[in-house]
Amino acid sequence: MLTFALRRLLLAIPTLIFISLVIFLLLEASPGDPLADVPLTVPPEVKERMREALGLGEPWHIRYALWLKQFFWVEPLHWFDQIFGTSFSQGMQRVISFQSRSPVFDVIAERVPQTLTVVGMSYLIGVLIAIPIGIISAYRQYSWFDQIGTFISMVGFSLPTFFTGVVLIIIFGIKLQWFPSIYDTTHRVTDWDSFVQQIRQMVMPVTVLALYNAAQISRFMRASMLDNLRQDYVRTARAKGLAERVVVLKHVLRNSLIPVVTVIALGLPAVFGGAIVTEQVFKVNGLGQLLILAIHGNDIPMVMTLTFIFAILIVGFTLIADLLYGILDPRIRYE
Amino acid sequence: MNDPLSAANAAGLPSELPDEPTTPPRSQWRDIWRQFRNHHGAMIALVLFVSILLFVLIGPLLWTIEPTYVDIRARNQGFSWAHPLGTDQLGRDMLARLMAGGRVSLAVGLTAMSIALTLGSLIGILSGYFRGLDAPLMRLTELFLALPLLPLLLLMVTLFREPLGKALGPAGGIFLLIVSAIGVTSWMQTARIVRGEVLGLKEREFMLAAKSIGTPIHRMVLRHVLPNVLSPIMVAATLGIATAIITESALSFLGLGFPPDFPTWGRLLYDAVDQMQQFPWRVVLPGLCISLTVLSVNYIGDGLRDAMDPRIRGR
Amino acid sequence: MRLKFLMLGAASAALMAPVAHAERGSDGQLNIIMWQAPSTMNIYLSGGTKELIASSAVLEPLAGSMPDGTLFPRLASEIPTLENGGIAEDLKSVTWKLREGVKWSDGTPFTADDVVFSAQYCMDPTGGCAQLAKFEGVEKVEAVDPLTVKISFAAPQPDPYSAFVGSQAPVIQKAQFEACIGEKAPTCTEQNFGPIGTGPFKVTSFKTNDVITFEANPEYRDASKPAFASLTMKGGGDAAAAARSVLETGEFDYAWNTQLAPDVISGMEAAGKGKVQAAFGSLVERIHVNLTNASSDLPEGERSTTAHPHPFLTDIAVRKALSMAIDRALLVEIGYGPAGQPTCNYVPAPAAWASDNTDCLQQDIEGAKKLLDEAGWTVGGDGIREKDGQRLSLLYQTSVNAVRQDFQALIKQWWQEIGVETELKTVDASVFFGGDAGSPDTFQKFYADVEMYANNFEGGNPAPYLAKFTCDKAPGPDNQWQGENVSRYCDPEFDKLVAQMATIVDPAERGKLGQKLNEMLTKESYAIIPLVYRGTASAVSNTLGNVQINGWDSELWNVADWTRTAQ
């Protein structure tokens, strides 16, 4: 297992570099212009100058090499300097966003807290709700609980968040005025009142996202439980006189977790990617909003950096999922 | 061999199942159909799904108002005999738009979902079953997961819109482009899930037994692997339809989808969100259509899976 | 010359004189929502309107524009004119007298050196300054004395009010930006996000594309202003959400750019918390007619170039008929409500330049049919007109935008009625307005027959805006498709008049010539079919006082005067 993990980690490096190259070429080839936002009143000659100032005059391979250098060399040096007060990175250009002309990592650092609190919390809640619902729904298949759970999760999944979010805002933000319709990213939790305020502003976005995530995970949980409940080993375990609780929660659940682990492992990097629509509806301005603005503005350094971090997380979490498979089902072996 | 499961794999067309020629030796289809009929939820869902299909396919023949016809004097109207479901902000008939939109949304949803499922299951099974293919296929999956979708879609449209439009006509070209764009960008989850299941499955005793008696690989996959990973595939199918219908509407906001006056359910829903307070039915109707479709496909999928499971068949 | 401007400016300045009760910071907190969030505070590094609004709370130019388009002095003590000697007789220089006693928010004095430096900063060839056009023709900027700045031009400038006029070209502090000139500009994040200014507010924190907080500038020249102690500018969401937060929940006081369908707005206004106001500048939504052939049968590089004239849009009868079939009043009613007016002009303002052309305002379907009949376009079997085997079938493209898509559907129907078939196409705005020469979908490439978008000009001088339609500015492979004459309009007479414009000084005469140019583009050639004169709409809470929305400058041009009023 350890050698497998090590080998995968080593293999991840060329994989990631290849992925970064593909992403870069994709961004290069896709149509769009970093200066599309600039009003039409700015004449083309000036735009040409601005383009040069962004470094777009250079051919693509030079810009790609520059990005690699900035990402893998200058940025770590800069952090090293920050921590130890040294000045190795003096005079070196960090990865700079086209839109704001500020270092990409500073902006990302600014956005991580709100994304983790809102999107991360909603994912956590989604998982915590989904697993018990999935288990009970499968164990009591076609009971009222199952029927209602199925109904809510299918409706929850088929209605997009741009719709459910606005419905919540209209009901709870405007009509009842219980929760603020706009998320305040400058809010700091210092005492009980500000904590309550923070909870109030999180309720709606977290509900919308948690519903959506829970719907998906609970369906996979239920299906997988159903499959396993019908297996021969369950009958054997029951025949052996094991308590029903042990049979279901220990044997069946453990064997049913593989698809759920896969779905969650794919979902966790997405937490970092933020929730584009929900962030927009509630004005959370996290990483999702950052990414979509960067894509619309063709802010190549920003998109490149964000998607690359995303790629690292994907590679990491698929590895974790693969290792978990081995733990959940010892028959799965990797040599 | 006429394998039932590959047909079921293309789920969403379960209404065709009964018409499928029954293979005489085992009459498996009849068994499944009998079992399926006993599943109340699935039968109701089947009826519902067929009526939705009839609504969008036959409806426009009976209700002949053009969905794109602008009657500006009749805008923002409520329910009436002339417009049973009212009109939108330009006076276009909502009933006609829902029917026309449903054709597109259902076609896109079902086709894109089938593409994604086929791709996903194929890659998942190959990489789970054949150790040598695992690493390259999973790295490919990671690559696709990491690619930013928007630029990818923009690129696809730029490259292929005109050539495809020329070859297949504007509507056909865009349809093909959209379903393949959605299909190609949404198979990864299915692939990962199927692979995870197959990894465990292939170490099970019955697999080893089948292998030891020299079962050929294609039969191993079709007979023993596929049936046992069917339930997560079914779930992915129902979720996939909903995602495809919504993604199609997201594509049209980017100018990548059908021409702007062409209605689809996702788009009708999105366009009406701003006016939710004044004209609530305009969001409710398309939302209801999408939810009903997804719900009915879900129950049909449940029924099918139960019907195909030999352990509970005839219970 | 321009005396009128000065007088009006002075008069309005008097009108805006401090309200008696005011005291700095007495009205607490002001909340503004900008659903498109500002990405930087340094307007020289970004040309965007959202950044313009944010930076105008802090940075000031020498002179700004009033809502009616006239100039008023900000950091200057008066507007230079020929009469007061501020503008040289040969029109080759302009001398600005600076206001005395102005201090930067860090307490240091504002001097002519800062103005000179700001010009150097933007005119640096490696800086990529977005506002370079404001400094076009400027040869030298020098400080005559600490309170006098002289701007010299290479050639006589009939309109010298460009550099340092309007919030696009403000004065930045030399001491702060000295190390940030040229290539170093983007490395100065701290400066770009927190410029020291002379305006009513100063930045306390800046989160790019998210939220900016400001507090009242303690050194602001009017001790009683601004009335608000702090200002928060929140970004994110969409236009509907922004309008809702002002008009329905009252969480915010002011929402910028709330362009929504009129019935949505009136529904929100019914809550009684605020109103939507529109500022009219020079923005016109129009249809450009492609006079060249965009057919995909032509080889790449020859599509939509002057080498291949359009098969039927070169017939003026067709273009005129297309225009006649449109009911502009209805378009306004559906799409813009009070934030739009029907127009037949490419240049809708200022008054001296706007032609009194109103022929197009009345929809005339029958007239259009007759015109096409007379031109030999006969209705074919499928209801579409044709002549010599050429069908009147159009591809009509625009950017993705709910109002534009409604317009497309309506116009398609009207054109259908006169026997013209229309296929609609939409393109993502970031592709459509981006100048990517490799993309087939940009508005400059114009691989379609007609296209719709809006454009405007800055400041009070439409001459450069009109000059975009000379023959040599048609986009094509030789200028990397960057030209601005998207219609590929080419009339030697027009080019001659544009050249003549550069030599005329008298404002009345310039306006008259401008009207002629405008009419050549619109009612004489129908190369451009104007639709709607658009304002920019903003939602304003009923508890805000002294808000004067401005279409010619930043909407926060007078934020120093805003107050909180009891509702």
Side-chain angles (χ1 to χ4, degrees):
Chain A
M1 196 86 129
L2 188 67
T3 48
F4 166 77
L6 279 177
R7 211 179 55 219
R8 276 283 294 273
L9 280 177
L10 278 180
L11 190 63
I13 295 168
T15 312
L16 282 171
I17 292 190
F18 179 71
I19 290 179
S20 78
L21 179 66
V22 174
I23 297 174
F24 190 88
L25 289 178
L26 173 69
L27 294 178
E28 274 299 303
S30 80
D33 179 4
L35 300 180
D37 269 355
V38 175
L40 299 177
T41 46
V42 174
E45 306 83 60
V46 175
K47 282 194 181 172
E48 203 42 54
R49 288 274 192 85
M50 292 170 74
R51 219 167 262 137
E52 276 165 30
L54 294 176
L56 286 169
E58 306 280 344
W60 70 266
H61 55 271
I62 300 206
R63 279 181 288 132
Y64 175 61
L66 181 69
W67 179 85
L68 278 182
K69 180 193 155 199
Q70 287 173 340
F71 190 95
F72 288 106
W73 180 241
V74 181
E75 288 293 340
L77 266 189
H78 176 80
W79 302 330
F80 186 85
D81 288 354
Q82 291 288 302
I83 297 166
F84 298 104
T86 50
S87 53
F88 293 117
S89 63
Q90 195 80 46
M92 289 187 194
Q93 178 76 280
R94 298 173 63 194
V95 189
I96 297 280
S97 151
F98 282 172
Q99 283 181 309
S100 62
R101 301 294 193 93
S102 62
V104 162
F105 276 93
D106 291 0
V107 184
I108 296 178
E110 229 169 61
R111 297 301 180 91
V112 168
Q114 50 251 42
T115 290
L116 284 189
T117 40
V118 174
V119 187
M121 179 66 82
S122 60
Y123 204 79
L124 189 70
I125 293 180
V127 172
L128 290 182
I129 302 177
I131 290 185
I133 289 185
I135 296 174
I136 302 173
S137 288
Y139 191 67
R140 300 245 174 269
Q141 194 188 7
Y142 304 131
S143 65
W144 278 111
F145 184 90
D146 180 31
Q147 303 286 15
I148 292 172
T150 303
F151 184 79
I152 292 179
S153 58
M154 292 327 283
V155 172
F157 195 82
S158 58
L159 291 179
T161 47
F162 67 73
F163 170 69
T164 43
V166 176
V167 170
L168 284 193
I169 287 186
I170 288 178
I171 297 176
F172 296 105
I174 294 172
K175 299 280 183 252
L176 299 174
Q177 306 245 344
W178 287 359
F179 306 117
S181 73
I182 289 171
Y183 188 93
D184 179 6
T185 47
T186 55
H187 185 74
R188 292 280 159 269
V189 177
T190 49
D191 52 14
W192 177 249
D193 285 345
S194 60
F195 177 72
V196 171
Q197 178 61 24
Q198 174 68 18
I199 297 294
R200 282 184 62 216
Q201 67 172 350
M202 278 172 62
V203 170
M204 290 200 291
V206 169
T207 309
V208 167
L209 274 178
L211 177 67
Y212 188 79
N213 289 326
Q216 191 189 17
I217 298 170
S218 69
R219 297 313 293 167
F220 281 109
M221 187 75 238
R222 174 180 178 274
S224 185
M225 283 291 283
L226 277 178
D227 269 1
N228 276 289
L229 278 170
R230 293 167 188 163
Q231 298 286 342
D232 299 335
Y233 72 85
V234 179
R235 208 175 306 143
T236 315
R238 283 184 181 141
K240 225 166 62 173
L242 284 182
E244 190 66 9
R245 165 186 284 275
V246 177
V247 173
V248 174
L249 291 186
K250 198 153 169 228
H251 297 274
V252 180
L253 181 60
R254 179 169 169 167
N255 281 300
S256 313
L257 275 178
I258 286 187
V260 180
V261 162
T262 315
V263 174
I264 295 177
L266 291 182
L268 284 175
V271 169
F272 174 83
I276 290 170
V277 177
T278 314
E279 285 188 8
Q280 170 156 332
V281 170
F282 295 99
K283 280 73 71 179
V284 178
N285 296 345
L287 292 165
Q289 186 247 16
L290 186 65
L291 180 64
I292 195 76
L293 278 185
I295 289 177
H296 276 300
N298 276 280
D299 186 346
I300 295 177
M302 179 66 86
V303 180
M304 198 53 210
T305 309
L306 278 173
T307 43
F308 188 66
I309 297 176
F310 192 52
I312 296 178
L313 291 174
I314 287 171
V315 172
F317 277 101
T318 45
L319 173 60
I320 293 175
D322 282 354
L323 296 178
L324 278 178
Y325 294 165
I327 295 170
L328 290 173
D329 186 346
R331 281 174 302 204
I332 299 178
R333 269 190 302 269
Y334 308 98
E335 285 91 53
Chain B
M1 149 195 168
N2 180 13
D3 189 77
L5 299 157
S6 51
N9 199 10
L13 300 167
S15 55
E16 288 175 9
L17 285 180
D19 309 331
E20 199 84 355
T22 46
T23 34
R26 302 188 41 204
S27 184
Q28 198 178 10
W29 283 118
R30 190 156 300 169
D31 270 6
I32 291 175
W33 172 236
R34 192 176 304 131
Q35 189 64 32
F36 187 84
R37 265 192 322 206
N38 290 335
H39 192 295
H40 294 296
M43 280 311 286
I44 297 172
L46 185 62
V47 171
L48 186 64
F49 188 75
V50 171
S51 19
I52 293 175
L53 277 183
L54 290 178
F55 173 68
V56 305
L57 292 177
I58 312 290
L61 303 177
L62 306 173
W63 186 253
T64 49
I65 295 185
E66 275 287 305
T68 55
Y69 180 77
V70 176
D71 180 6
I72 205 69
R73 284 174 304 278
R75 70 193 151 109
N76 292 334
Q77 284 193 352
F79 303 145
S80 67
W81 283 111
H83 301 288
L85 298 180
T87 58
D88 73 355
Q89 77 278 11
L90 295 181
R92 292 174 290 201
D93 182 67
M94 277 302 282
L95 178 60
R97 286 176 79 70
L98 272 180
M99 293 190 296
R103 277 187 180 194
V104 184
S105 287
L106 283 179
V108 168
L110 295 177
T111 324
M113 179 271 293
S114 319
I115 295 178
L117 274 194
T118 315
L119 258 179
S121 314
L122 186 71
I123 291 181
I125 289 178
L126 287 180
S127 101
Y129 195 77
F130 301 102
R131 197 172 288 277
L133 289 177
D134 189 27
L137 285 178
M138 282 301 109
R139 298 301 85 75
L140 181 76
T141 312
E142 280 163 12
L143 172 68
F144 266 87
L145 280 167
L147 285 184
L149 287 191
L150 225 74
L152 183 67
L153 294 169
L154 282 173
L155 182 64
M156 284 179 72
V157 171
T158 311
L159 291 181
F160 303 121
R161 172 146 66 185
E162 283 206 349
L164 279 178
K166 255 185 179 173
L168 301 168
I174 288 184
F175 179 78
L176 187 65
L177 190 62
I178 289 177
V179 293
S180 36
I182 299 175
V184 163
T185 53
S186 52
W187 54 269
M188 293 83 77
Q189 196 187 36
T190 317
R192 289 280 314 170
I193 293 169
V194 169
R195 168 181 171 270
E197 291 272 71
V198 173
L199 279 179
L201 205 60
K202 78 174 175 196
E203 309 293 343
R204 298 264 271 276
E205 291 77 7
F206 73 91
M207 292 289 285
L208 298 177
K211 214 183 231 169
S212 65
I213 58 167
T215 315
I217 285 179
H218 68 93
R219 191 168 301 163
M220 288 289 291
V221 169
L222 291 176
R223 264 275 131 104
H224 302 293
V225 178
L226 201 54
N228 283 296
V229 291
L230 205 57
S231 359
I233 293 181
M234 285 288 185
V235 176
T238 38
L239 299 180
I241 289 185
T243 319
I245 290 177
I246 300 303
T247 313
E248 183 283 319
S249 62
L251 291 183
S252 37
F253 318 136
L254 297 169
L256 306 181
F258 293 97
D261 54 342
F262 213 88
T264 68
W265 284 346
R267 188 180 199 128
L268 290 173
L269 179 62
Y270 183 85
D271 285 350
V273 164
D274 276 354
Q275 296 163 340
M276 196 187 294
Q277 282 161 287
Q278 286 95 351
F279 310 106
W281 67 88
R282 263 191 232 160
V283 266
V284 171
L285 290 174
L288 198 66
C289 288
I290 300 177
S291 296
L292 284 180
T293 308
V294 175
L295 269 174
S296 61
V297 172
N298 173 65
Y299 276 105
I300 294 171
D302 265 10
L304 261 187
R305 195 198 40 229
D306 285 0
M308 283 182 184
D309 190 337
R311 286 187 206 86
I312 60 167
R313 193 181 295 158
R315 197 171 57 183
Chain C
M1 153 200 179
R2 296 273 171 163
L3 186 62
K4 179 184 70 174
F5 275 18
L6 174 67
M7 303 262 292
L8 272 173
S12 330
L15 276 178
M16 301 182 314
V19 193
H21 80 277
E23 189 184 324
R24 178 175 296 157
S26 58
D27 284 347
Q29 160 93 6
L30 172 63
N31 290 313
I32 297 182
I33 184 156
M34 318 259 296
W35 60 273
Q36 289 169 301
S39 62
T40 178
M41 286 294 289
N42 185 348
I43 185 66
Y44 286 122
L45 293 183
S46 157
T49 312
K50 51 198 172 70
E51 285 82 19
L52 175 80
I53 291 177
S55 92
S56 69
V58 171
L59 299 172
E60 288 181 294
L62 295 181
S65 298
M66 309 269 299
D68 58 1
T70 55
L71 296 179
F72 74 102
R74 293 189 72 159
L75 289 173
S77 58
E78 59 178 8
I79 301 289
T81 58
L82 277 172
E83 287 76 13
N84 67 17
I87 297 177
E89 288 296 334
D90 62 356
L91 301 176
K92 288 182 79 170
S93 73
V94 54
T95 308
W96 291 87
K97 292 244 181 293
L98 305 186
R99 200 184 278 264
E100 274 179 65
V102 175
K103 281 185 178 161
W104 294 100
S105 60
D106 62 357
T108 57
F110 159 78
T111 69
D113 280 344
D114 294 310
V115 184
V116 175
F117 172 78
S118 303
Q120 283 169 355
Y121 179 86
C122 186
M123 288 160 71
D124 189 288
T126 55
C129 174
Q131 307 298 343
L132 199 57
K134 282 269 181 191
F135 295 87
E136 200 178 292
V138 173
E139 195 176 49
K140 198 166 57 182
V141 180
E142 57 199 325
V144 177
D145 63 56
L147 288 178
T148 314
V149 177
K150 184 175 170 198
I151 302 175
S152 315
F153 303 103
Q157 286 279 330
D159 181 273
Y161 305 116
S162 175
F164 302 116
V165 177
S167 304
Q168 292 87 4
V171 183
I172 54 177
Q173 194 193 35
K174 182 179 180 184
Q176 191 190 18
F177 279 91
E178 210 158 18
C180 299
I181 206 158
E183 278 171 342
K184 295 214 182 67
T187 60
C188 294
T189 310
E190 199 185 312
Q191 288 87 337
N192 294 335
F193 283 0
I196 292 170
T198 54
F201 289 96
K202 65 176 198 176
V203 183
T204 49
S205 85
F206 183 94
K207 286 184 168 183
T208 182
N209 287 331
D210 182 13
V211 59
I212 315 171
T213 54
F214 302 87
E215 63 182 26
N217 172 5
E219 305 287 344
Y220 189 61
R221 55 183 172 271
D222 186 333
S224 63
K225 290 175 184 174
F228 288 98
S230 56
L231 161 62
T232 299
M233 216 178 257
K234 166 83 180 171
D238 53 31
R244 207 175 276 134
S245 69
V246 172
L247 301 177
E248 292 195 85
T249 67
E251 287 165 277
F252 281 78
D253 300 311
Y254 190 90
W256 167 70
N257 195 6
T258 50
Q259 197 217 79
L260 291 166
D263 44 358
V264 176
I265 291 281
S266 50
M268 290 182 182
E269 281 178 339
K273 290 209 157 96
K275 289 247 164 347
V276 169
Q277 298 187 0
F280 286 88
S282 55
L283 191 64
V284 172
E285 184 86 25
R286 66 286 186 96
I287 291 177
H288 281 271
V289 177
N290 194 346
L291 297 172
T292 62
N293 193 349
S295 161
S296 59
D297 299 332
L298 291 172
E300 191 60 40
E302 289 186 31
R303 295 176 71 179
S304 284
T305 60
T306 39
H308 300 278
H310 196 278
F312 58 87
L313 285 175
T314 40
D315 181 349
I316 187 163
V318 177
R319 303 199 297 267
K320 187 170 181 191
L322 292 180
S323 172
M324 287 165 80
I326 296 172
D327 183 349
R328 290 166 174 79
L330 188 60
L331 289 181
V332 168
E333 191 188 325
I334 299 276
Y336 295 99
Q341 295 162 10
T343 187
C344 303
N345 281 329
Y346 171 68
V347 176
W353 293 70
S355 161
D356 55 1
N357 170 22
T358 52
D359 305 350
C360 75
L361 295 186
Q362 191 63 43
Q363 183 189 31
D364 186 4
I365 299 264
E366 290 313 312
K369 283 183 184 165
K370 209 168 131 224
L371 190 65
L372 289 172
D373 283 338
E374 282 164 5
W377 295 95
T378 49
V379 182
D382 53 354
I384 304 305
R385 287 174 193 267
E386 54 187 31
K387 180 162 92 177
D388 309 331
Q390 179 63 54
R391 279 161 51 86
L392 289 184
S393 175
L394 294 171
L395 178 61
Y396 176 5
Q397 71 175 10
T398 188
S399 70
V400 177
N401 171 311
V403 176
R404 292 204 171 119
Q405 266 77 80
D406 283 355
F407 277 25
Q408 277 185 313
L410 278 166
I411 291 172
K412 175 180 176 172
Q413 176 125 340
W414 290 324
W415 287 352
Q416 183 78 37
E417 283 174 37
I418 62 166
V420 177
E421 182 184 58
T422 315
E423 188 193 331
L424 304 182
K425 178 179 167 186
T426 52
V427 184
D428 183 48
S430 71
V431 175
F432 190 65
F433 294 115
D436 188 344
S439 164
D441 291 329
T442 64
F443 80 101
Q444 294 104 327
K445 257 197 179 160
F446 204 169
Y447 283 179
D449 302 300
V450 291
E451 68 182 358
M452 174 169 73
Y453 64 93
N455 196 1
N456 64 329
F457 56 90
E458 284 167 352
N461 180 18
Y465 182 60
L466 283 161
K468 287 176 178 180
F469 285 87
T470 52
C471 298
D472 57 328
K473 289 200 175 141
D478 39 328
N479 57 12
Q480 282 77 49
W481 304 94
Q482 298 303 314
E484 293 162 289
N485 178 3
V486 291
S487 290
R488 281 82 166 148
Y489 171 82
C490 186
D491 182 350
E493 177 64 17
F494 184 88
D495 287 18
K496 217 168 79 198
L497 292 180
V498 166
Q500 206 180 328
M501 176 72 91
T503 61
I504 300 178
V505 178
D506 179 56
E509 228 175 290
R510 283 171 68 83
K512 227 165 163 185
L513 185 59
Q515 290 188 17
K516 172 69 186 156
L517 291 171
N518 171 33
E519 284 169 11
M520 287 178 83
L521 292 173
T522 54
K523 75 170 178 187
E524 286 174 25
S525 71
Y526 294 96
I528 298 172
I529 303 175
L531 302 174
V532 179
Y533 176 22
R534 280 174 51 187
T536 49
S538 291
V540 185
S541 161
N542 287 340
T543 65
L544 274 190
N546 287 349
V547 175
Q548 265 187 296
I549 193 162
N550 189 338
W552 296 98
D553 206 328
S554 161
E555 289 186 12
L556 298 190
W557 68 289
N558 71 339
V559 67
D561 302 325
W562 290 13
T563 56
R564 176 80 63 200
T565 56
Q567 196 169 356

